[in-house]
Amino acid sequence: MKIKFAVIGTSKITKMFLAAAKQDERFHLQAVYSRNMQTAQIFAKEHQADMFFDDLSDLANCLDIDAVYVASPNSYHAQQAIQMMEAGKHVLCEKPIAVNTTEFDKMIVTAKKNNVCLMEAMLSSFVPNFLVIKNSINKVGHLRKFIASFCQYSSRYPAYLKGEKPNTFNLAFANGSLVDIGIYPLYAAISLFGKPDKIQSQCTKLSSGVDGCGDVLLSYDQLSDKRLNNGKSSQLQAVISHSKVSSGENVGELQGELGRIVWQHSSEFNQVKLVMNSGEEQLLSTKQNNNKMVYECQHFLDLITDKCIESPVNTWQLSLYVLNVLEQVRNQQSIVYPNDNV
């Protein structure tokens, strides 16, 4: 069965999505949407789409579309996803799936009402090496610390410094370092450990009002998941470091009393290694597709095929936990998006 997709957005991430999705024979690119008709037309031709739109209502009303990938600026995610779901279309929405929990609650209601699938496109949840980490947690003993960073100098930062207003540093589009790239290690931590008991943060705010870089500290007072610590409860701290105005090694590690699990890159998990206190080391990584979006695409197509409206991996509850942390951090740092006032 072919599942006919439309894409909202024509950026680099959309191109990566299409390259990944086309590796599954169930996927068919039916349509492209852009605010600019010429852009939509050119992108559609480049990627062999049958249709192109510059009007969201026309896209929503098109009966030849089963599902939509939303990769527009963050501030548009909720309203566009809701419009598509109201028209009976499944939605895979780029992270963050919404600007705040209020928006996302409305998205969940819409998905249920229209019996359509809604999932946040957080690719790291599905890459094989993240699953390796999940399945290896009990090897390091009593858990104590999770430390991960995603610091990558933005190619758009020089333009910002010259006085231009690139989307990635624009408050109106609900952007900034944490929601753009810090969300990857944050999502991983919350996926592993759940909702934190305490949240602390600091950041460097740019003159545009968004965060250029920062750190988030999640505290877990009674971590008691049976997968973790052999059923014992313990305290754990998760430290998330992020930046779009500087670059780093972007490594991470999960420390236990017997050893640690170390990985490269907190969105792709390119290499995973077990390092015991005894000095013994073991490479845990498995081979991964070069395009890490392949796995989330396959999962979303499975959900549609199986008539599921919610992912058992990127659950709505997980997305809500992440959004709640993002909101609390913004409150602490006095970062207010226009969507927060709606």
Side-chain angles (χ1 to χ4, degrees):
M1 178 185 74
K2 288 289 185 180
I3 300 173
K4 298 177 181 179
F5 268 75
V7 294
I8 295 179
T10 56
S11 65
K12 180 181 177 181
I13 192 69
T14 305
K15 293 178 181 179
M16 288 178 60
F17 165 77
L18 291 175
K22 287 179 179 180
Q23 295 184 43
D24 192 304
E25 61 182 12
R26 294 170 293 179
F27 177 87
H28 174 73
L29 179 61
Q30 182 73 12
V32 171
Y33 167 83
S34 173
R35 287 172 295 176
N36 182 287
M37 178 59 86
Q38 186 178 11
T39 300
Q41 213 168 351
I42 293 172
F43 195 87
K45 183 178 180 180
E46 180 183 351
H47 295 279
Q48 296 83 51
D50 301 322
M51 310 170 76
F52 41 88
F53 297 87
D54 65 351
D55 185 291
L56 280 171
S57 295
D58 290 344
L59 174 63
N61 293 329
C62 179
L63 299 179
D64 290 327
I65 297 168
D66 304 310
V68 180
Y69 171 65
V70 177
S72 51
N74 300 339
S75 55
Y76 296 119
H77 285 182
Q79 66 185 68
Q80 292 177 344
I82 288 172
Q83 185 175 1
M84 295 303 119
M85 289 189 291
E86 289 283 12
K89 293 166 176 42
H90 307 289
V91 171
L92 177 63
C93 186
E94 261 307 324
K95 53 78 189 166
I97 195 165
V99 172
N100 50 51
T101 54
T102 300
E103 285 188 343
F104 189 53
D105 284 337
K106 294 176 182 177
M107 295 168 76
I108 293 173
V109 169
T110 306
K112 290 179 178 178
K113 182 178 72 173
N114 293 280
N115 195 35
V116 292
C117 185
L118 170 67
M119 190 183 88
E120 184 166 21
M122 174 52 71
L123 65 89
S124 56
S125 300
F126 303 98
V127 297
N129 282 337
F130 183 63
L131 303 182
V132 166
I133 293 171
K134 277 189 168 183
N135 294 330
S136 303
I137 283 179
N138 58 2
K139 296 181 179 181
V140 297
H142 219 48
L143 298 180
R144 290 304 181 189
K145 294 185 77 68
F146 172 100
I147 304 171
S149 67
F150 197 155
C151 300
Q152 182 174 292
Y153 187 85
S154 171
S155 62
R156 303 299 296 147
Y157 190 50
Y160 172 81
L161 292 175
K162 292 177 182 177
E164 298 178 26
K165 296 181 179 180
N167 289 0
T168 191
F169 296 110
N170 195 327
L171 192 73
F173 292 131
N175 270 326
S177 176
L178 180 58
V179 295
D180 190 6
I181 58 178
I183 193 173
Y184 285 104
L186 176 66
Y187 214 99
I190 296 175
S191 176
L192 290 171
F193 312 122
K195 184 180 180 180
D197 296 299
K198 185 179 180 182
I199 302 161
Q200 297 170 273
S201 66
Q202 67 83 32
C203 81
T204 298
K205 281 177 68 174
L206 304 178
S207 59
S208 65
V210 306
D211 55 326
C213 61
D215 300 280
V216 179
L217 173 63
L218 308 179
S219 299
Y220 293 86
D221 296 333
Q222 293 293 326
L223 195 65
S224 57
D225 189 319
K226 290 182 180 180
R227 287 183 305 118
L228 313 172
N229 300 322
N230 299 313
K232 301 177 183 178
S233 62
S234 69
Q235 293 181 324
L236 178 139
Q237 290 184 327
V239 182
I240 312 297
S241 186
H242 59 92
S243 177
K244 288 183 70 68
V245 297
S246 60
S247 290
E249 290 295 326
N250 299 330
V251 295
E253 59 182 34
L254 176 59
Q255 301 173 359
E257 293 186 354
L258 299 180
R260 66 189 188 275
I261 300 171
V262 184
W263 59 87
Q264 293 180 355
H265 211 287
S266 290
S267 69
E268 299 185 349
F269 298 94
N270 294 321
Q271 186 183 80
V272 180
K273 184 168 61 174
L274 177 66
V275 182
M276 304 304 292
N277 291 347
S278 63
E280 178 187 355
E281 296 188 6
Q282 180 185 356
L283 188 64
L284 302 177
S285 329
T286 187
K287 186 177 180 180
Q288 300 186 141
N289 194 297
N290 289 333
N291 188 331
K292 307 303 186 298
M293 296 182 80
V294 161
Y295 307 106
E296 70 175 0
C297 292
Q298 291 175 344
H299 180 78
F300 187 67
L301 289 164
D302 287 343
L303 294 176
I304 295 174
T305 302
D306 296 338
K307 296 180 169 57
C308 298
I309 67 170
E310 180 183 6
S311 167
V313 181
N314 280 356
T315 64
W316 294 338
Q317 186 64 75
L318 175 56
S319 293
L320 280 169
Y321 283 163
V322 172
L323 284 171
N324 182 261
V325 171
L326 294 175
E327 285 184 277
Q328 289 195 51
V329 170
R330 289 207 311 277
N331 287 338
Q332 291 173 9
Q333 303 305 322
S334 300
I335 296 173
V336 181
Y337 295 139
N339 300 52
D340 294 326
N341 297 319
V342 175

